[in-house]
Amino acid sequence: MSVTVSKADGVTVLTLTTDPQSPWPPLCQIFKNLCYSPVCCTVSQHLRSLNRASQTVLGTLQIMIGLLNIGLGSILYSTWNSLYLNYLGFPFWLGALFIMFGTVCVLSEKYPSPCLVILTVILNLAGGAFAITAIALYSINLGDIRSWWNCYEYYNGYNGYNGYNGYGYGRETIRPPSLEEKLLQEKCYEGRAVLVMLLRSISAVMITLSVLELCVVISSAVLGIKALRNKEKGQNKSTDDPELHKPLLEEVTAQPVA
């Protein structure tokens, strides 16, 4: 299967010739040739000059946000203070997605082919949707955090039974908590409050990171779109430049000598 590209008057025409000997259907052959097309997969120096180091910085930020999502999310997951988070496990798959988006951004900077830049733009647009999802999930988790510690286990109000009366044991007697048990209960309440505060602070940090991720993916997508548009403008200017159509040597008419 061969691919022919022709350009005229601002219109690009792709001519695809299918291979009748191939066992694959024509649609699969088209996708195969588009993926392996030199027009699409060749590294463009013009795109490299347009991108510079912007995509690398944005991709590195996305990778760091993804790693923080996994690291801080594992703390939230291990405490079992939110059944909502433990059931969905969203910090882990969101972190993996953010790392993937960042990696593609870095690769598009190192190997700026048109296909990879387009893929980066599409993934970053999808990353914006996932960042909004992360903001919503962490906001719900912020209100769902609670401590499951039972501080009453430090005080046993029952003092056993009051003896055997011939028919069985008597009634249970209740005693007031001792001073040591009261101190343990107060420390338990304080520790539980501190734990809930720390977990909610971590959730607030995750919301902030998700907002930062949203800003980063939008910036990366805008840079990719601008690079592709500037590349098309540069190609149009190069084809329309009259200096390229001037003859290298001008015809000289010899004058007769008198």
Side-chain angles (χ1 to χ4, degrees), residues 7 21 92 102 104 120 151 163 178 190 198:
K7 296 183 179 181
Q21 303 297 328
F92 302 108
V104 174
T120 302
C151 294
S178 64
E190 292 175 359
L198 289 176

Side-chain angles (χ1 to χ4, degrees), residues 5-257:
V5 181
S6 59
K7 296 183 179 181
D9 298 331
V11 179
T12 303
V13 179
L14 291 175
T15 305
L16 304 174
T17 306
T18 59
D19 185 8
Q21 303 297 328
S22 176
W24 299 101
L27 184 61
C28 295
Q29 296 183 40
I30 291 173
F31 282 123
K32 177 183 176 183
N33 280 272
L34 287 176
C35 292
Y36 291 100
S37 173
V39 177
C40 183
C41 297
T42 304
V43 175
S44 173
Q45 298 299 327
H46 184 63
L47 284 175
R48 176 170 291 173
S49 63
L50 291 173
N51 282 331
R52 298 180 182 177
S54 303
Q55 293 288 2
T56 301
V57 174
L58 295 175
T60 305
L61 282 175
Q62 293 191 61
I63 293 173
M64 292 175 63
I65 292 172
L67 292 174
L68 287 173
N69 265 268
I70 295 175
L72 296 177
S74 61
I75 297 175
L76 296 175
Y77 187 86
S78 62
T79 55
W80 282 90
N81 285 278
S82 174
L83 297 178
Y84 178 74
L85 183 143
N86 288 92
Y87 180 74
L88 295 178
F90 51 84
F92 302 108
W93 52 267
L94 283 173
L97 287 173
F98 293 159
I99 291 173
M100 182 188 71
F101 298 152
T103 303
V104 174
C105 285
V106 174
L107 290 177
S108 68
E109 175 70 28
K110 299 296 181 182
Y111 310 101
S113 64
C115 276
L116 194 53
V117 175
I118 293 173
L119 178 63
T120 302
V121 172
I122 294 173
L123 289 180
N124 280 296
L125 293 176
F130 281 110
I132 295 173
T133 304
I135 294 171
L137 290 175
Y138 285 122
S139 299
I140 296 173
N141 179 72
L142 183 63
D144 190 55
I145 291 176
R146 64 195 66 183
S147 178
W148 300 99
W149 288 2
N150 184 13
C151 294
Y152 291 100
E153 65 184 6
Y154 294 101
Y155 164 62
N156 181 13
Y158 296 104
N159 196 21
Y161 298 94
N162 58 1
Y164 187 75
N165 57 7
Y167 298 98
Y169 289 96
R171 295 181 305 169
E172 296 175 344
T173 59
I174 299 176
R175 62 173 176 80
S178 64
L179 181 60
E180 182 181 356
E181 288 172 343
K182 287 183 178 180
L183 291 175
L184 287 175
Q185 278 188 331
E186 290 177 1
K187 290 182 179 179
C188 177
Y189 290 138
E190 292 175 359
R192 188 168 64 178
V194 170
L195 177 63
V196 171
M197 182 187 66
L198 289 176
L199 294 178
R200 287 179 177 173
S201 300
I202 292 175
S203 294
V205 171
M206 303 289 264
I207 294 173
T208 306
L209 290 175
S210 301
V211 173
L212 177 61
E213 172 69 16
L214 179 62
C215 298
V216 169
V217 294
I218 291 175
S219 301
S220 181
V222 170
L223 286 176
I225 294 172
K226 284 184 176 181
L228 291 172
R229 291 186 63 183
N230 291 333
K231 179 178 181 296
E232 291 294 330
K233 289 181 180 179
Q235 288 180 349
N236 293 334
K237 286 182 180 180
S238 62
T239 55
D240 297 337
D241 191 358
E243 296 294 331
L244 298 177
H245 301 284
K246 285 185 177 182
L248 296 179
L249 295 176
E250 294 183 357
E251 186 178 354
V252 178
T253 304
Q255 297 293 334
V257 178

